[in-house]
Amino acid sequence: MNRSRTKAPAGVNLPALRHHNATLVLDLLRASGAEGISRLELAEGTGLTPQAVSKITARLREDGLAVGAGLRPSTGGKPRTVLRLVPDAQFAIGLHLDRDGLTAVLVDLAGRPVAVTTAPLDLGAPADRVLADAADAVRDLSAAEPHKPVLGLGVAVPGPLDHRDGVLHRVTGFPQWDGYPLRAALAERTGLPVVLDKDTNAAALALALGGAGGGDFAYLHLGTGLGAGLVLGGEVHRGARTGAGEFGHQTLQLDGPLCGCGGRGCIEALCLAAEARGDRGEAARVLGTGAANLVGLLDIGRVVLGGRTVAADEDAYVRGVRAVIEERAARGGPGAGAGVTVTVAGGGDRPVAEGAAQLVLAPVFGRVGEGEGERG
């Protein structure tokens, strides 16, 4: 039987799916934390036979990924050996390239940050300079654990982009990146497997895997720009053309100010203009209007706010967004948004970098349906 906690797909005892079965076991080991989990519980949680679990855990122990964590007291039979994940056996790097700065984080297998670095970045600079800055950050982080393997590099950047091909499209305000193969270029520079995705998708993935509440939700990131990461049906939703989440470029005012995307009256332009003139209350109401539209369209039950602009006054943004959603709910009607929660991810831009690292880790633990990109 499957453990209800993970709702993991059942394992199958076929040699061709050896790696798949190992990821199921690894996922349960990670979820059990320092307390550990017995082989019998691993078999129950994955649907694998005890013999298959024993073979898999033996390999994981040989590879240094699992270790004994003592014995569980007997309930009438032989005491059970408990195993746990070795989080610092391997690492992943997450890199957030924003319009004016970069954040990079080294995380262990449990997703815990081990080292973090930030630096200024000019996304409008020539590509070689941007790549050099990114590679320098990756090299510095790798030096923090020089004797441990780094599984790969997850990279989060403003959209739109094609995460499958690892190619950027027309990043708002930086059209020179259109068609640039960023994933391949960074793989060549760093020597690491690279996964590329939008910044908002990466942050949404980290929130989904972090277990901070279930159900569908939208992550709204307001920093140097505005975008959304959507988690629907337990998975990051990208759309058929990988362009979902361009939340900031919905038009709220037909004759509004010109936006960097070329349109007028976009919610991003209205929000940032209000912030620039010091009217944070107005900025929060504009963001709330867009959030309420999203709630009504998708019938989601939770909105999570993030980004450095939100971090400057989290309470003001939560109050403003919640007020607009609740006002619309009070008017009633289908999709009005009654009972929607509004929270903050916290940490400014750092959740994006941590989510980028999860782009690498998610497939290791069998979470391939929850936001991974393709590796270069």
Side-chain angles (χ1 to χ4, degrees):
M1 64 179 178
N2 290 336
R3 292 164 64 96
S4 59
R5 180 198 61 75
T6 63
K7 297 182 181 178
V12 288
N13 297 294
L14 297 174
L17 294 181
R18 173 175 165 177
H19 175 71
H20 168 74
N21 291 340
T23 64
L24 300 180
V25 171
L26 277 169
D27 190 41
L28 289 180
L29 285 169
R30 179 176 63 165
S32 68
E35 179 182 345
I37 186 171
S38 71
R39 290 183 180 86
L40 180 58
E41 291 169 320
L42 288 170
E44 292 174 346
T46 61
L48 297 167
T49 66
Q51 292 83 359
V53 167
S54 292
K55 290 181 180 179
I56 291 170
T57 54
R59 289 196 300 270
L60 294 177
R61 294 186 73 161
E62 289 173 4
D63 293 339
L65 295 174
V67 69
L71 297 175
R72 186 158 295 168
S74 172
T75 57
K78 182 180 177 181
R80 296 177 184 174
T81 300
V82 176
L83 301 171
R84 67 170 177 85
L85 183 72
V86 181
D88 63 352
Q90 298 175 347
F91 295 88
I93 294 176
L95 177 63
H96 177 202
L97 301 179
D98 206 350
R99 293 169 174 84
D100 61 357
L102 68 80
T103 302
V105 59
L106 180 74
V107 305
D108 64 17
L109 290 176
R112 295 187 299 245
V114 174
V116 181
T117 184
T118 60
L121 180 75
D122 178 8
L123 198 60
D128 281 348
R129 189 185 309 168
V130 174
L131 292 175
D133 290 344
D136 286 346
V138 171
R139 184 183 61 251
D140 291 345
L141 284 181
S142 298
E145 292 286 345
H147 305 299
K148 299 289 182 65
V150 174
L151 294 172
L153 170 65
V155 182
V157 295
L161 56 81
D162 187 335
H163 80 283
R164 292 171 299 201
D165 293 335
V167 174
L168 299 184
H169 293 320
R170 292 181 62 86
V171 178
T172 302
F174 301 91
Q176 70 272 23
W177 287 102
D178 189 20
Y180 189 84
L182 183 61
R183 186 182 68 198
L186 280 173
E188 182 178 357
R189 285 266 185 164
T190 64
L192 292 171
V194 175
V195 188
L196 178 73
D197 209 341
K198 285 168 57 172
D199 47 10
T200 50
N201 286 344
L205 174 63
L207 290 169
L209 293 178
D216 297 347
F217 69 88
Y219 169 75
L220 306 183
H221 186 95
L222 181 59
T224 57
L226 174 60
L230 306 174
V231 174
L232 306 176
E235 299 183 1
V236 176
H237 177 73
R238 294 183 176 83
R241 292 170 294 278
T242 76
E246 290 300 311
F247 172 83
H249 300 295
Q250 56 179 301
T251 301
L252 293 189
Q253 185 179 340
L254 291 176
D255 58 349
L258 186 66
C259 179
C261 73
R264 286 190 174 275
C266 293
I267 185 172
E268 176 178 301
L270 295 171
C271 258
L272 294 179
E275 266 286 338
R277 63 176 182 267
D279 193 347
R280 185 160 288 154
E282 174 66 10
R285 285 189 293 274
V286 171
L287 183 60
T289 300
N293 290 344
L294 200 56
V295 168
L297 181 66
L298 299 177
D299 194 22
I300 54 177
R302 186 159 56 109
V303 174
V304 184
L305 308 179
R308 73 178 76 164
T309 302
V310 169
D313 195 341
E314 294 178 353
D315 290 342
Y317 273 99
V318 170
R319 286 196 308 270
V321 171
R322 181 184 291 142
V324 176
I325 293 175
E326 289 180 347
E327 179 185 349
R328 189 169 298 186
R331 296 200 298 266
V340 173
T341 61
V342 181
T343 60
V344 175
D349 290 339
R350 184 162 154 178
V352 176
E354 293 180 6
Q358 289 291 352
L359 295 170
V360 175
L361 292 181
V364 174
F365 296 96
R367 301 294 184 169
V368 293
E370 296 183 273
E372 92 290 356
E374 301 294 329
R375 292 181 180 230

